[in-house]
Amino acid sequence: MTEISETPPTAIRRRTVLIATGATAATLAVASAVPETSTPTADTAVPVAAAAVCTLTKEMTEGPYYLDGQYVRADISEDKTGIPLKLALTVVDDDTCAPLSNALVEIWHCDALGEYSGFVGNNGHSEPDNGTFLRGGVLTNSSGVANITSVYPGWYRGRCVHIHLKVHTNVTLTSDGSFTGGQELHTGQLFFDETITTRVAALATYAANTVTRTTLAQDSIYDEGGAASGLLTLTALGSSTSAGYAGTLTVGVESS
């Protein structure tokens, strides 16, 4: 089987993006409780959110499995087996940290067997391929949040568990449930905590994947940057691994 590799991020066009992390948000909260000892001048004053919360990071490669014209829909799981994954992705402007409403957040990822719709067989497994499963996106709400339901991804040869992401603005929704036009602001990837992925990989649905799993530390794309590189904050949806997880992240983009 021919291995399809993803180009390292140094070979792609870069944009400045940011991630607001829980640690820096906590720092902001502590700082706000400390009495001021001086008054900033016009030269030194910096917006609080930008100074204390926003951490800049780079884009990541689109990879070989992107398909145009996918559906705008909140649930992309279709009939794929796997544990539930509830994503809440917040898009903000990198200059002001203000939320971006009506931005289309589009994701795509492989199923438990490491197969992408439209490319089934590339990871060595045979299954039906309709070209749409585990692909799609939604418009952000007034708070800049895109809520998407999927399943926890599997893995394919040479890559750790991840989800691909694009952010578009000014798209036009089409009558067939897809979108067209607009401006692409960001291309990136979302990553998963290795401890949780190890538990998920032991479940029967994922253990059926015959390809050796690449860990975060072994991955050629993830740079161990934590939330600044797309590492999701994962929260259990129940008392067992099979109940699934909620995943959150705040992603900032250059909107102008």
Side-chain angles (χ1 to χ4, degrees), residues 10-27:
T10 53
I12 66 168
R13 170 182 56 81
R14 298 174 184 272
R15 276 187 210 275
T16 300
V17 299
L18 78 163
I19 303 296
T21 68
T24 50
T27 302

Side-chain angles (χ1 to χ4, degrees), residues 2 66-68 106 118 151 208 210:
T2 301
Y66 181 68
L67 292 176
D68 290 314
E106 181 186 16
V151 297
T210 59

Side-chain angles (χ1 to χ4, degrees), residues 64-253:
Y65 296 119
Y66 181 68
L67 292 176
D68 290 314
Q70 293 303 312
Y71 293 125
V72 177
R73 53 183 179 172
D75 189 337
I76 67 170
S77 57
E78 295 190 14
D79 62 349
K80 302 308 292 184
T81 58
I83 65 171
L85 178 66
K86 306 283 187 179
L87 293 172
L89 306 173
T90 304
V91 181
V92 298
D93 180 272
D94 74 331
D95 293 320
T96 64
C97 290
L100 269 63
S101 60
N102 291 314
L104 183 75
V105 176
E106 181 186 16
I107 67 171
W108 67 102
H109 64 84
C110 67
D111 64 9
L113 295 178
E115 302 289 350
Y116 280 86
S117 57
F119 301 89
V120 167
N122 279 356
N123 203 44
H125 304 90
S126 178
E127 58 179 318
D129 186 357
N130 62 5
T132 63
F133 66 76
L134 306 181
R135 296 179 182 274
V138 296
L139 295 172
T140 57
N141 61 22
S142 60
S143 298
V145 179
N147 292 293
I148 304 175
T149 297
S150 189
V151 297
Y152 203 101
W155 59 91
Y156 54 96
R157 183 171 284 101
R159 287 302 318 277
C160 66
V161 173
H162 65 282
I163 289 175
H164 290 273
L165 166 76
K166 282 185 183 287
V167 178
H168 313 257
T169 54
N170 301 316
V171 301
T172 298
L173 302 185
T174 58
S175 59
D176 63 355
S178 184
F179 69 95
T180 188
Q183 179 183 6
E184 182 184 308
L185 298 183
H186 172 61
T187 299
Q189 296 183 24
L190 308 175
F191 297 94
F192 294 78
D193 179 85
E194 190 62 33
T195 300
I196 293 175
T197 292
T198 298
R199 297 177 193 147
V200 173
L203 299 174
T205 299
Y206 295 86
N209 189 338
T210 59
V211 171
T212 301
R213 185 169 68 84
T214 296
T215 66
L216 278 178
Q218 296 168 332
D219 190 71
S220 62
I221 304 298
Y222 181 68
D223 60 6
E224 300 186 28
S229 295
L231 188 67
L232 291 162
T233 296
L234 296 173
T235 305
L237 293 174
S239 58
S240 66
T241 301
S242 59
Y245 291 88
T248 61
L249 192 69
T250 298
V251 181
V253 298

